[in-house]
Amino acid sequence: MSRYSATEIEAKWQQSWDSAGTFQATRDASKPKYYVLEMFPYPSGRIHMGHVRNYTMGDVIARYKLSTGHNVLHPMGWDAFGMPAENAAMAIGGHPKDWTYSNIADMRDQMKPLGLSIDWSREFATCDPEYYGQQQALFLDMMQHGLVYRKNAVVNWDPVDMTVLANEQVEQGRGWRSGAVVERRELTQWFFKISDYSNELLAALDGMEDWPAKVKLMQANWIGKSRGLQFGFERIDGGDPIEVYTTRPDTLMGAAFVGISPDHPIAKNLEINNQALAKFNIEARKGGTTEEAIETAEKLGFNTGLKVRHPLNPDWELPVWVANFILMDYGTGAIFACPAHDQRDLDFCRKYNLPVVDTFFSMADNTPVDTLAFVPPKTEKVVWVNHFAGLDIATGQEAIDTTIKFAETSGWGVGVTQYRLRDWGLSRQRYWGCPIPVVHCTTCGVVPEKKESLPVRLPDDVTFDKPGNPLDRHPTWRNCNCPTCGGAALRETDTMDTFVDSSWYFIRFTAPRSDTPTNRAEADYWMNVDQYIGGVEHAILHLLYSRFFARAMQVTGHLAPKSSEPFDALFTQGMVTHEIYQTRPKDDDNTRPIYHLPEEVSDGKLITTGEPVEIIPSAKMSKSKKNVVDPVSIIAAYGADTARWFVLSDSPPERDVEWTASGADAAFKHLNRVWTLSDKIAN
């Protein structure tokens, strides 16, 4: 064939690979194994060139390793539970399952013509009962080993999606999917004890040499190790001392007040007989629980009338305020405020006319604190004013360490190491997720389901005509018998956070048809993932949770203790971008723009009407902005190899690449020249 015909050539070889089972992986102890994996997609309906770039990167690695004699595992599956399917069911009718599996079929049909070296025999979706049934079994094992518990907690509540969100799922005070302003609520929730692994997860980052430095830094900051002082303020009224924790005990002589959370036991007790405080607490609890939400919200307070003694001077009395920026889940739920050296405290004190006392000042600048707090770096030399630990000139860290030692020696405080990472709240008040396999019995309490009764399947006959969780209003699904006493009981209606599904799928790929969560022989052979590829946006959520799950699965016996890290190497690829084409309705500049697909535009105008379009510089491909390029149309015009070659050759893989028609055409011409040259050499 003297001319390159992508339609004939690619179809021929793809059929040949399928017939021969070329990419099906089987355990073979005689070969070195290599496991390459791209983060599996959510079946939203169509893939775009961003997906093509991601999977082509993994394909190149897989083919190279095959050529060097490795036994390669390169699987594919679908992260299929979640809110979009429920939202679609509510918007257009139908069932989330039908919407999801239809999208999976469409996306699979788009992907297969790309000729990727994928072992499709291992394909699964996380909404398959065979998958989530094993996830339920894993949950029960984690529950048995003390890694799962249930408690009342103040949580992030998304009032639009009507479900709980983990802190990691709140972005700028809003739900990561709905965009709604998040509120605080107190609910009974299930939690994973990820905080027990805070120090281990943090320390292990140092040894992960083949992970991007930016991802490791993001995780380290999120885990947030700190060394501070914990001590109690004696109450004037004789009540129990108010325990506080601070990372800057060297500023204690600048204390202006003691603040407590609206959810602190003292605040709850006082609000019983104080309607004004009760009203304040109700409003304060509406804010989000993330640090970001707290920092950006207006600082509000309520003077309780209580007073406490300063630990270094019994004649120094401080007022006790309830403040909306203090959470029970951080530290002790109480703080002492030092406004001169903390901007949040300074804003609060200026608002309520509370005193501002300078504790120290910079040697280079003696300007008193006005509207900006002076917070010296821990490495900067400062001069202390009447510092109680006997220091004169020292760095911040020296002062912190000296103050902790002084408090411990004096017997009024103790040094404590804390972490910012909180336990992972996994309960979601939604239907389209993995059911939590427990029942509630009036006699036995909360009882785990028997493994032989798994999977606890989602009912198909649900409706989405009302807000909230359809499982709560299903006429029969909740009713069951207690696994312990056999009496009447009710199933748990909360489902698992969908990030649970993606926290162990890469391990399930080693034996996707096993009747236990893992087949140890297969898992021991294939794990770890040698090369993992995906977006940096998953640095905290998915990647941190997966690291925890790998450790939990070792504790439960589902993984060998050879390595606590699931991914040996991580690569975060750049995005594929494209111009955005938009028009606006005439005579109405305030109306949202109307977006147009690239194939609807030619020479800066709409093909159908000739109307000029506004061209926005390249941005991440997004279905909502319609700046996506359908791989099917590119394959039809040029072939899969052109699409694959362009997304790999036009920009370094860690950087963004802009998709342009001219670039695709150039890639096609290049492949034609290569083919022609090869044909001449062969003949």
Side-chain angles (χ1 to χ4, degrees):
M1 186 182 296
S2 59
R3 180 168 176 79
Y4 178 69
S5 174
T7 303
E8 297 179 50
I9 297 167
E10 291 176 356
K12 169 189 173 182
W13 287 106
Q14 289 172 19
Q15 183 178 1
S16 176
W17 297 331
D18 287 343
S19 299
T22 302
F23 305 122
Q24 288 189 15
T26 56
R27 181 160 46 101
D28 185 349
S30 67
K31 292 182 178 181
K33 70 91 182 178
Y34 196 89
Y35 185 178
V36 58
L37 182 67
E38 308 86 24
M39 294 180 184
F40 67 167
Y42 182 80
S44 56
R46 306 288 290 177
I47 68 170
H48 53 68
M49 297 310 299
H51 295 104
V52 174
R53 191 187 197 202
N54 194 27
Y55 305 136
T56 302
M57 289 179 185
D59 183 63
V60 168
I61 296 171
R63 289 175 181 274
Y64 169 73
K65 288 297 180 179
L66 278 170
S67 72
T68 56
H70 287 75
N71 190 23
V72 174
L73 174 60
H74 185 206
M76 176 58 65
W78 311 94
D79 190 11
F81 273 138
M83 282 300 303
E86 278 197 51
N87 290 339
M90 287 184 281
I92 62 176
H95 195 283
K97 182 172 71 172
D98 299 332
W99 183 86
T100 300
Y101 281 109
S102 175
N103 287 347
I104 288 174
D106 289 343
M107 292 176 71
R108 185 193 301 114
D109 288 345
Q110 283 182 290
M111 290 178 67
K112 285 202 169 183
L114 289 169
L116 301 168
S117 56
I118 287 173
D119 181 356
W120 285 101
S121 70
R122 294 174 183 257
E123 178 190 10
F124 60 75
T126 57
C127 62
D128 296 339
E130 294 77 16
Y131 181 84
Y132 71 72
Q134 296 306 323
Q135 185 165 296
Q136 291 169 343
L138 181 57
F139 178 92
L140 295 179
D141 290 338
M142 293 172 70
M143 191 176 177
Q144 182 181 356
H145 284 81
L147 295 170
V148 181
Y149 67 97
R150 189 170 181 259
K151 70 170 184 178
N152 286 346
V154 178
V155 296
N156 301 302
W157 178 259
D158 187 316
V160 171
D161 284 345
M162 296 187 69
T163 189
V164 168
L165 302 176
N167 279 348
E168 296 89 338
Q169 296 164 341
V170 179
E171 299 174 351
Q172 298 181 346
R174 296 177 179 271
W176 73 299
R177 285 202 183 276
S178 72
V181 176
V182 170
E183 302 173 358
R184 287 187 223 172
R185 284 198 183 182
E186 185 170 350
L187 297 173
T188 302
Q189 298 284 287
W190 289 95
F191 290 85
F192 285 128
K193 296 185 74 172
I194 189 174
S195 66
D196 282 3
Y197 293 83
S198 295
N199 190 58
E200 182 180 337
L201 290 167
L202 179 62
L205 291 171
D206 291 337
M208 296 162 62
E209 297 180 357
D210 293 323
W211 276 47
K214 61 183 177 182
V215 173
K216 293 192 289 184
L217 179 61
M218 291 169 71
Q219 290 206 3
N221 290 339
W222 190 261
I223 296 169
K225 183 177 182 179
S226 64
R227 176 73 173 169
L229 179 69
Q230 185 164 324
F231 63 96
F233 282 94
E234 178 187 350
R235 286 170 57 175
I236 302 299
D237 65 356
D240 292 335
I242 299 178
E243 290 285 322
V244 301
Y245 170 79
T246 177
T247 59
R248 293 306 299 253
D250 52 320
T251 67
L252 185 54
M253 295 301 288
F257 70 93
V258 170
I260 60 175
S261 166
D263 299 297
H264 195 283
I266 293 175
K268 288 187 173 183
N269 184 57
L270 290 174
E271 73 178 17
I272 295 174
N273 298 310
N274 188 328
Q275 291 185 354
L277 176 57
K279 182 178 179 180
F280 172 84
N281 287 343
I282 290 173
E283 290 301 313
R285 290 168 186 147
K286 289 183 179 180
T289 68
T290 65
E291 289 185 22
E292 182 182 46
I294 291 169
E295 289 301 321
T296 56
E298 181 185 3
K299 308 302 181 290
L300 301 174
F302 188 97
N303 191 347
T304 66
L306 296 179
K307 291 184 179 295
V308 295
R309 301 186 193 280
H310 196 286
L312 298 175
N313 184 352
D315 297 328
W316 186 356
E317 296 182 358
L318 298 171
V320 178
W321 285 67
V322 179
N324 68 338
F325 57 80
I326 305 173
L327 297 177
M328 275 305 300
D329 283 347
Y330 287 86
T332 63
I335 65 163
F336 80 83
C338 180
H341 311 300
D342 183 286
Q343 190 62 45
R344 179 190 61 189
D345 295 347
L346 179 61
D347 295 342
F348 188 94
C349 288
R350 293 301 189 204
K351 180 173 183 174
Y352 292 105
N353 296 317
L354 294 168
V356 178
V357 180
D358 287 325
T359 301
F360 43 65
F361 55 86
S362 169
M363 296 178 66
D365 184 2
N366 298 341
T367 304
V369 170
D370 183 16
T371 58
L372 292 177
F374 171 61
V375 186
K378 291 185 178 181
T379 57
E380 181 176 327
K381 294 281 185 178
V382 293
V383 176
W384 271 259
V385 178
N386 299 322
H387 193 274
F388 55 88
L391 291 172
D392 184 11
I393 300 175
T395 65
Q397 191 59 55
E398 288 174 308
I400 292 169
D401 296 340
T402 302
T403 304
I404 292 174
K405 184 177 180 180
F406 175 80
E408 290 180 329
T409 302
S410 303
W412 55 269
V414 60
V416 175
T417 298
Q418 288 199 355
Y419 297 87
R420 180 175 177 267
L421 182 64
R422 295 294 175 259
D423 281 340
W424 174 8
L426 66 108
S427 300
R428 297 293 179 268
Q429 293 68 42
R430 307 306 307 174
Y431 162 77
W432 193 235
C434 174
I436 296 175
V438 299
V439 303
H440 300 270
C441 175
T442 55
T443 302
C444 305
V446 180
V447 181
E449 184 57 89
K450 293 180 179 179
K451 283 190 176 181
E452 54 266 31
S453 299
L454 301 180
V456 177
R457 290 176 178 262
L458 289 168
D460 288 333
D461 54 336
V462 292
T463 59
F464 297 89
D465 54 342
K466 298 178 182 178
N469 186 352
L471 296 177
D472 284 327
R473 57 180 182 265
H474 192 279
T476 60
W477 184 82
R478 294 191 68 182
N479 301 326
C480 63
N481 294 324
C482 173
T484 300
C485 71
L490 295 175
R491 293 196 183 282
E492 173 68 70
T493 59
D494 283 355
T495 54
M496 297 187 200
D497 179 8
T498 53
F499 280 97
V500 179
D501 312 338
S502 59
S503 292
W504 73 288
Y505 80 102
F506 45 89
I507 304 173
R508 183 65 179 174
F509 271 138
T510 65
R513 313 298 172 227
S514 174
D515 58 4
T516 54
T518 64
N519 177 309
R520 277 295 300 272
E522 296 291 333
D524 291 352
Y525 175 76
W526 289 113
M527 288 296 292
N528 289 347
V529 177
D530 295 277
Q531 181 65 65
Y532 200 33
I533 303 171
V536 71
E537 66 270 19
H538 299 292
I540 293 172
L541 286 165
H542 165 58
L543 291 171
L544 186 60
Y545 291 160
S546 296
R547 296 180 62 214
F548 162 68
F549 250 73
R551 288 160 170 81
M553 293 180 73
Q554 289 180 348
V555 171
T556 56
H558 296 296
L559 273 181
K562 62 180 180 180
S563 173
S564 295
E565 296 300 331
F567 313 119
D568 287 347
L570 172 69
F571 183 81
T572 54
Q573 83 284 355
M575 299 181 296
V576 178
T577 64
H578 195 284
E579 292 176 333
I580 297 173
Y581 305 121
Q582 65 182 38
T583 57
R584 293 182 183 274
K586 294 180 179 179
D587 303 323
D588 191 354
D589 293 336
N590 296 321
T591 303
R592 287 186 176 183
I594 299 172
Y595 298 107
H596 303 278
L597 293 167
E599 55 264 33
E600 297 174 347
V601 177
S602 178
D603 295 327
K605 298 179 181 179
L606 291 178
I607 295 174
T608 54
T609 65
E611 179 184 356
V613 298
E614 182 182 357
I615 301 176
I616 308 300
S618 285
K620 178 182 178 180
M621 285 191 179
S622 167
K623 288 190 298 180
S624 63
K625 300 292 193 299
K626 292 190 175 182
N627 66 330
V628 294
V629 174
D630 191 337
V632 172
S633 63
I634 299 301
I635 293 172
Y638 298 109
D641 281 348
T642 293
R644 289 151 54 93
W645 174 256
F646 177 75
V647 294
L648 289 185
S649 66
D650 199 60
S651 179
E654 70 275 9
R655 298 182 186 176
D656 293 350
V657 58
E658 181 179 4
W659 180 271
T660 63
S662 60
D665 191 59
F668 178 70
K669 290 178 180 178
H670 170 78
L671 289 178
N672 269 282
R673 287 194 294 268
V674 172
W675 180 269
T676 301
L677 180 61
S678 300
D679 184 67
K680 288 181 178 179
I681 293 173
N683 296 314

